[in-house]
Amino acid sequence: MTERPAETAAPEAGTPIDVEDLHKLVLQSLDDDQAVEVVSIPLTGKSNIADHMVIASGRSTRQVASMAVKLADKIKERFGRSVRIEGLPAADWVLIDADDVIVHIFRPEVRNFYNLERMWAFGDESGGVSAARG
């Protein structure tokens, strides 16, 4: 049986996940799957629900669903943790709750309607919103 390299081995259950490693994995997965308009919003000091919120768009419901499932699988493989996913059947707006990183993947029309970037930019001139780069 082949062993996985140490840097990709999943941590033991209950072991804290490095939030920045999780954030990087999310951004890389979305980039790999050709997500559109990926932005990352730091939530530290704004909310205690998570440290980062990532918002991205897919071109179709099929792409949105595919990106969400692949991301959940990568998080499970890398960190040994299952994530909570909402909205997968319709795939207009899929929410992936990975505890310290919340990911929203939208179809463009739905994203424009809800405009989460503006909602979470309160109290910050720059909005705290940054375009994510892979």
Side-chain angles (χ1 to χ4, degrees), residues 7-19:
E7 67 271 8
T8 60
E12 296 293 320
T15 303
I17 292 175
D18 183 294
V19 175

Side-chain angles (χ1 to χ4, degrees), residues 31-98:
D31 186 57
D32 291 347
D33 291 336
Q34 300 178 353
V36 180
E37 297 181 29
V38 178
V39 296
S40 181
I41 303 170
L43 296 180
T44 305
K46 290 184 180 183
S47 174
N48 61 0
I49 62 167
D51 291 339
H52 299 279
M53 179 182 296
V54 177
I55 303 171
S57 296
R59 291 176 181 87
S60 66
T61 55
R62 183 175 290 192
Q63 185 187 20
V64 168
S66 175
M67 287 189 292
V69 169
K70 286 180 184 178
L71 177 56
D73 289 346
K74 288 177 184 179
I75 292 170
K76 175 79 172 175
E77 180 181 317
R78 171 71 172 90
F79 296 105
R81 305 273 170 90
S82 294
V83 298
R84 290 168 297 284
I85 301 177
E86 298 288 334
L88 199 53
D92 286 327
W93 173 3
V94 177
L95 168 72
I96 301 154
D97 182 353

